[in-house]
Amino acid sequence: MIFCFTGTGNSGYVAEELSRLLGEQLYMLEHEALTGFGRRDFNDSRIIWVFPTYSWGVPPVMVGAIKASRCVNPGAVHFMVATCGDDAGLIARQWRRLMTAKGYHAAGAYTVIMPNNYTLMKGFDVDPQELMYRKIEDSAARIATIADAIRRSDCDDNVTSGKWAWFKSRVIYPWFIRNAMSPGPFRADHTACTRCGRCMDDCPCDNIAPGNDGYPQWSEHCALCLRCYHSCPHHAISYGKATADKGTYLLKRALKKHKK
Ligand SMILES: Cc1cc2nc3c(=O)[nH]c(=O)nc-3n(C[C@H](O)[C@H](O)[C@H](O)COP(=O)(O)O)c2cc1C
Ligand code: SF4
Ligand code: SF4
């Protein structure tokens, strides 16, 4: 079984490929499947957790899902596959601690470098097109390697940790979770927004609803996955001043353009 959370499609794509290569069933953690996750037992012998890297750590939404999960097979072997734009610090160690706390047996942990989708701070933007397509192309071989390792039940970590991994994961990650994950600054620009409803329908956490005027309004159950920001067809969503002049990215859209 593969459990996957994705914002802009990178982790979803990796999970779909692993599902195809390994013949594993894919369970997407979104909408009711996410909110009701803790109400269901899983008896599978192999569990693969696929998710994006957030600030060199496990996204809080995934921490919550792992904590709530009910894997009732004591012999099950667990794997982590995290996507990242550049590097993932000590994410594997954090995931291993989460597995241990649940009494799960953690085998290998892996990362796949994919296009960056983080745009909410100064200096962070989506990748230039050439780099974006190179990352997507290179990912196919990487996913195949990871599938082979999972097939063999390898227990080694194969993670792009990057420089200053300890500082990023142990100092910046907790700061980021406390201070930089609020959905408060999200706004839809009323001159550009057509009230089409797409951001509201697409949000994996059902965190956006129309206000009395029909324009989107954000609640507090946000995973900061950025699907709303990137999927708006009119680029009408901003996050304070941080997103002025920033690009957007969705894997599906990138693949469609690439084929043309
Ligand atoms: C809140 C947030 C924090 C991120 N932090 C990191 C990071 O620490 N390192 C990194 O390489 N990429 C980081 N990224 C980029 C994503 O991990 C990367 O683009 C990922 O493949 C997105 O996956 P998705 O399309 O499945 O959501 C971050 C993205 C978001 C939204
Ligand atoms: S997707 Fe964009 S245009 Fe559509 S409702 Fe949301 S903000 Fe408005
Ligand atoms: S509100 Fe936007 S950023 Fe937050 S979970 Fe929904 S789609 Fe993701």
Side-chain angles (χ1 to χ4, degrees):
M1 177 70 83
I2 301 175
F3 296 128
C4 173
F5 179 80
T6 189
T8 51
N10 290 344
S11 311
Y13 160 74
V14 171
E16 276 170 21
E17 284 301 288
L18 288 173
S19 167
R20 187 177 63 77
L21 293 166
L22 294 167
E24 286 287 355
Q25 198 186 333
L26 175 54
Y27 187 101
M28 294 303 290
L29 292 166
E30 53 184 30
H31 306 297
E32 297 78 21
L34 177 61
T35 41
F37 189 49
R39 291 198 286 274
R40 202 176 142 178
D41 288 345
F42 293 93
N43 198 15
D44 306 77
S45 55
R46 184 165 66 183
I47 309 270
I48 307 167
W49 301 91
V50 185
F51 49 85
T53 301
Y54 284 3
S55 194
W56 302 283
V58 181
V61 66
M62 205 65 196
V63 171
I66 291 172
K67 285 184 176 170
S69 67
R70 298 199 329 210
C71 174
V72 294
N73 183 342
V77 185
H78 295 249
F79 298 88
M80 177 201 89
V81 182
T83 66
C84 60
D86 297 297
D87 50 58
L90 304 181
I91 194 168
R93 285 199 207 167
Q94 185 193 358
W95 172 77
R96 284 183 183 286
R97 284 196 298 275
L98 290 164
M99 292 291 109
T100 305
K102 291 293 292 184
Y104 295 165
H105 171 58
Y110 311 93
T111 48
V112 182
I113 295 179
M114 293 293 289
N116 180 49
N117 69 356
Y118 188 72
T119 54
L120 305 190
M121 278 188 190
K122 209 177 163 192
F124 290 85
D125 203 348
V126 297
D127 294 323
Q129 276 212 358
E130 198 191 322
L131 177 61
M132 176 181 84
Y133 287 127
R134 194 174 343 122
K135 285 180 176 178
I136 295 170
E137 274 165 25
D138 291 352
S139 68
R142 176 73 181 150
I143 297 165
T145 304
I146 293 171
D148 284 342
I150 292 176
R151 226 178 261 121
R152 292 191 303 267
S153 281
D154 279 2
C155 289
D156 297 333
D157 290 349
N158 191 331
V159 166
T160 304
S161 298
K163 281 184 187 167
W164 309 297
W166 186 91
F167 181 73
K168 286 167 168 175
S169 297
R170 290 296 175 83
V171 179
I172 301 182
Y173 174 80
W175 175 88
F176 188 90
I177 303 306
R178 271 198 312 273
N179 301 298
M181 291 209 62
S182 167
F186 279 122
R187 295 277 180 282
D189 170 4
H190 288 194
T191 53
C193 173
T194 59
R195 292 179 273 189
C196 70
R198 178 168 172 175
C199 55
M200 312 181 214
D201 295 342
D202 279 5
C203 171
C205 303
D206 300 313
N207 189 51
I208 315 174
N212 291 337
D213 54 8
Y215 289 104
Q217 297 218 317
W218 281 258
S219 299
E220 287 303 313
H221 309 289
C222 174
L224 210 72
C225 73
L226 304 193
R227 192 184 294 180
C228 53
Y229 165 81
H230 289 288
S231 66
C232 172
H234 305 288
H235 202 352
I237 298 175
S238 60
Y239 191 84
K241 287 183 183 151
T243 45
D245 304 323
K246 298 281 179 72
T248 60
Y249 166 79
L250 276 185
L251 179 78
K252 261 191 192 155
R253 198 161 57 207
L255 291 177
K256 232 187 213 172
K257 271 194 192 165
H258 201 38
K259 273 184 197 146
K260 278 182 189 166

